[in-house]
Amino acid sequence: MELRSGGLGSQGRRMDGDSRDGGGGKDAAGPEDYENLPTSASVSTHMTAGAMAGILEHSIMYPIDSVKTRMQSLNPDPKAQYTSIYGALKKIMRTEGFWRPLRGLNVMIMGAGPAHAMYFACYENMKRTLSDVFHHQGNSHLANGIAGSMATLLHDAVMNPAEVVKQRLQMYNSQHRSALSCIRTVWRTEGLRAFYRSYTTQLTMNIPFQSIHFITYEFLQEHVNPHRGYNPQSHIISGGLAGALAAAATTPLDVCKTLLNTQENMALSLANVSGRLSGMANAFRTVYQLNGLAGYFKGIQARVIYQMPSTAISWSVYEFFKYFLTKHQLENRAPY
């Protein structure tokens, strides 16, 4: 079936809500072009595409995420000190088993699917609404930043418990052997609050992260993909660069989040912290007390190397499924 602009009555309109003209003439969209799809995909399409993006992103990058968690340890065991990501993965698989870098992946997938579904659906709808308010249907960086921040509130509410369990399973010599045993132990010994102990820190980190991420992504798309067609290469490049910049800028907050999630016993003992550490301010003080300014950037290389392909995968998968599902819905509705 041909998706012609005349049949849809929306030449040059874009799925993200921007109604600027696609250019016309020789630049007009072809019969199968993404430009000719409706100005907005359905909420179910955003949620499905977002869920697929989240699951694939976290599954593919999980081994690197495991290394990042360990490299952010403030007082690592001598047997768990690493100088490079490749060296860390090689050492972990050799000394702890081939599948050790994947421990906790199941709980991450269970959290990533619904979290990213709400995340992208909220972002797309708020971006479209706010862009109409701020920029009269054009692209607005302020709208992108606010939409990304609001989407983060929903995303982190689902992901925070999964992050707590995942990071405790990733740590060297973890007492937990499965996600279920970790959940039971944390619930019994620390209560429900433990699953959200780092929530405020997570938000403090992710709101600026996602604001930088979305603003950078949309800015780069304006330059490398001005007509906003389905262009996998542009989504990969824009997503990767946006993720790398946002990751580097928010590494200090990520280090504090990891400390709150893992509650490293040796590190807390050295800092003379009794009981459980809570609160971003306390985490910041503890990191500085133990490692000085350098402590805030522990694992920055692993974090950037993790986030760059991670966001590239996320955006490319999301945009593909958004394109595919919307096109499929149109084909089902079209008369034959």
Side-chain angles (χ1 to χ4, degrees):
M1 176 190 107
E2 291 187 344
L3 300 173
R4 296 190 183 278
S5 58
L8 292 170
S10 58
Q11 182 176 7
R13 301 295 292 272
R14 309 184 323 184
M15 283 182 65
D16 62 0
D18 192 333
S19 60
R20 288 175 297 182
D21 199 301
K26 66 180 180 179
D27 294 326
E32 291 293 326
D33 198 286
Y34 185 75
E35 289 283 334
N36 291 331
L37 295 175
T39 56
S40 61
S42 66
V43 172
S44 62
T45 294
H46 291 311
M47 294 187 76
T48 303
M52 294 302 299
I55 290 170
L56 286 173
E57 168 198 345
H58 286 286
S59 297
I60 293 170
M61 298 304 300
Y62 195 82
I64 308 299
D65 185 52
S66 294
V67 171
K68 176 184 74 72
T69 296
R70 292 196 179 192
M71 292 182 81
Q72 288 181 333
S73 174
L74 296 178
N75 188 47
D77 187 286
K79 296 178 182 178
Q81 293 181 349
Y82 314 107
T83 56
S84 70
I85 295 172
Y86 174 74
L89 281 173
K90 187 176 178 181
K91 184 175 181 179
I92 291 169
M93 289 189 289
R94 186 181 70 248
T95 60
E96 301 176 53
F98 181 80
W99 298 107
R100 182 62 180 90
L102 296 179
R103 186 183 293 176
L105 176 60
N106 56 343
V107 74
M108 204 62 200
I109 290 175
M110 290 174 64
H116 280 71
M118 292 188 292
Y119 170 69
F120 276 106
C122 178
Y123 172 72
E124 292 280 13
N125 282 278
M126 287 206 67
K127 179 184 75 170
R128 185 165 57 249
T129 301
L130 293 173
S131 290
D132 290 345
V133 173
F134 296 140
H135 214 262
H136 303 293
Q137 292 191 318
N139 184 45
S140 166
H141 296 308
L142 178 59
N144 298 336
I146 295 173
S149 299
M150 295 304 295
T152 301
L153 294 174
L154 292 176
H155 174 274
D156 287 4
V158 175
M159 283 296 287
N160 207 87
E163 282 277 346
V164 171
V165 175
K166 180 259 297 186
Q167 290 195 311
R168 294 196 183 205
L169 289 167
Q170 288 174 332
M171 294 299 287
Y172 175 76
N173 204 24
S174 172
Q175 61 176 313
H176 311 290
R177 291 294 174 264
S178 70
L180 186 58
S181 70
C182 180
I183 293 170
R184 286 173 174 169
T185 301
V186 173
W187 181 281
R188 186 178 65 252
T189 60
E190 301 175 51
L192 177 63
R193 184 181 179 185
F195 295 104
Y196 285 95
R197 185 178 285 122
S198 64
Y199 184 56
T200 53
T201 301
Q202 186 102 339
L203 288 177
T204 305
M205 176 188 74
N206 280 346
I207 286 176
F209 175 92
Q210 297 300 353
S211 296
I212 295 169
H213 169 210
F214 280 117
I215 290 171
T216 305
Y217 177 81
E218 299 287 358
F219 173 79
L220 291 172
Q221 281 290 288
E222 285 185 336
H223 290 80
V224 301
N225 187 20
H227 298 307
R228 297 302 180 96
Y230 173 58
N231 185 334
Q233 185 178 7
S234 78
H235 300 315
I236 290 170
I237 293 171
S238 299
L241 291 176
L245 177 62
T250 57
T251 295
L253 293 164
D254 192 44
V255 171
C256 294
K257 181 210 73 174
T258 299
L259 177 60
L260 289 170
N261 277 345
T262 59
Q263 296 289 311
E264 286 184 71
N265 291 329
M266 288 297 294
L268 297 183
S269 296
L270 287 173
N272 296 318
V273 176
S274 58
R276 301 292 175 181
L277 182 69
S278 62
M280 185 184 67
N282 290 329
F284 261 95
R285 280 194 292 269
T286 303
V287 171
Y288 184 79
Q289 180 181 345
L290 292 173
N291 293 98
L293 289 175
Y296 295 120
F297 295 94
K298 289 179 75 69
I300 187 172
Q301 179 189 28
R303 178 165 164 78
V304 171
I305 290 175
Y306 168 78
Q307 286 292 350
M308 193 169 187
S310 181
T311 47
I313 291 167
S314 181
W315 277 111
S316 59
V317 171
Y318 173 71
E319 295 286 3
F320 167 76
F321 275 100
K322 187 169 71 170
Y323 166 68
F324 174 80
L325 292 171
T326 304
K327 183 178 177 181
H328 181 68
Q329 289 171 358
L330 284 176
E331 289 173 345
N332 287 340
R333 288 202 303 263
Y336 286 93

